[in-house]
Amino acid sequence: MPSISILPADRVFVLTGAGVSAESGLPTFRASDGLWAGYRIEDVCTPDAWRRDPAGVWAFYSARRAAGQKAQPNPAHFALAGLESQLPGRFFLCTQNVDGLHERAGSTNLVHMHGELAKSRCERECGRPPVEDHAVYASLDEVGHCPCGGRLRPHIVFFGEMPLEMPRIEREIGRATLMIVAGTSGSVYPAASFVHWARAAGARTVYVGPEEPLNAAAFTHVVKGKAGEVLPGLFQVES
Ligand code: OAD
């Protein structure tokens, strides 16, 4: 694939998914050996699961924390951080990933639309901000409480809850001229709609991943390959 030019007038919006962390050793969700093959979403990632079985939800996210803490950023994370440094003020990263690998690679202008593993927040939505929390809990007794009395829950967007930072994300998509999407199957909304919003706003749209996503038809280019192998050489920033 010849490189894709990023012109001086371009503004770039990037959306990443679990595939971008696959080469760091973290499993994706929907692969045959992915997380949702071993767990049911309704048991670990819904408001109802939290009400019924907070211990089970914490066991799942404690295991994710333990795995995430061992993982290192891979060339895909570094390529996106490098692109940001070449495009000051013209680059925005929206990740569905709850690991911190983009930040650890050097990305700064980013949002975690599905939350962050390394934080917890009050289950009562009492208004206090999320707190940094790296603990891997062996039992529910170890989980702390908010000053208001609510139990701390993972700072993760459960299915049925509103993703975070949506007004800012919509604003950034509206002004982007190039959308780069990598490592996401296009199964979860609203993220799977972003490419349609970008196309409607006139942007070029590029997908990078080993398989076509469900929304492949909406992309101007689909580049097949692993993000860590494709992203480092895909873009040429023109001055
Ligand atoms: P999925 O597991 O649905 O999709 C992962 C995608 O990554 C697939 O399309 C793979 O082809 C691709 N992939 C695998 N290895 C790759 C590699 N080395 N380079 C690039 N791509 C690769 O994961 P997501 O689309 O991220 O939400 O899932 C979206 C949301 O569903 C997640 O944020 C999570 C999940 O349930 C919540 O937990 C709220």
Side-chain angles (χ1 to χ4, degrees):
M1 166 90 196
S3 63
I4 295 172
S5 289
I6 300 181
L7 303 173
D10 277 326
R11 290 191 74 90
V12 176
F13 180 104
V14 180
L15 172 69
T16 61
V20 162
S21 295
E23 290 156 84
S24 296
L26 297 178
T28 64
F29 292 94
R30 294 176 180 79
S32 54
D33 57 351
L35 287 170
W36 296 151
Y39 298 88
R40 291 179 349 136
I41 289 174
E42 342 31 326
D43 291 340
V44 296
C45 194
T46 64
D48 191 48
W50 175 253
R51 274 189 294 274
R52 274 187 288 111
D53 182 18
V57 172
W58 262 122
F60 178 74
Y61 285 105
S62 286
R64 306 280 72 71
R65 276 185 183 172
Q69 285 163 10
K70 283 192 224 131
Q72 299 298 329
N74 69 55
H77 300 105
F78 288 115
L80 292 172
L83 203 52
E84 178 176 358
S85 69
Q86 291 180 77
L87 298 168
R90 299 192 282 136
F91 180 99
F92 183 81
L93 173 58
C94 172
T95 185
Q96 297 169 89
N97 298 344
V98 296
D99 61 56
L101 295 177
H102 283 302
E103 297 91 312
R104 285 171 54 197
S107 290
T108 56
N109 196 24
L110 87 164
V111 297
H112 283 274
M113 67 178 291
H114 289 164
E116 291 173 76
L117 263 181
K119 292 182 181 172
S120 299
R121 69 169 191 263
C122 179
E123 65 178 347
R124 293 184 186 159
E125 310 290 350
C126 70
R128 288 184 177 81
V131 291
E132 200 173 318
D133 182 4
H134 301 276
V136 173
Y137 296 114
S139 85
L140 197 57
D141 299 337
E142 297 176 7
V143 177
H145 287 75
C146 176
C148 81
R151 183 180 276 137
L152 289 180
R153 59 166 269 183
H155 182 47
I156 298 288
V157 175
F158 294 148
F159 281 84
E161 294 180 329
M162 182 65 89
L164 307 175
E165 308 258 20
M166 282 310 296
R168 186 169 166 207
I169 290 168
E170 287 183 38
R171 204 166 51 244
E172 293 291 346
I173 293 175
R175 60 185 194 159
T177 57
L178 174 62
M179 175 176 279
I180 302 164
V181 179
T184 176
S185 58
S187 324
V188 172
Y189 288 83
S193 299
F194 292 176
V195 63
H196 300 284
W197 302 352
R199 284 296 287 273
R204 291 176 290 156
T205 53
V206 181
Y207 180 79
V208 176
E211 320 166 301
E212 289 205 342
L214 293 178
N215 52 5
F219 288 92
T220 26
H221 304 281
V222 172
V223 185
K224 290 259 189 81
K226 292 182 175 182
E229 292 171 7
V230 171
L231 283 175
L234 188 57
F235 298 99
Q236 172 72 40
V237 176
E238 311 285 352
S239 49

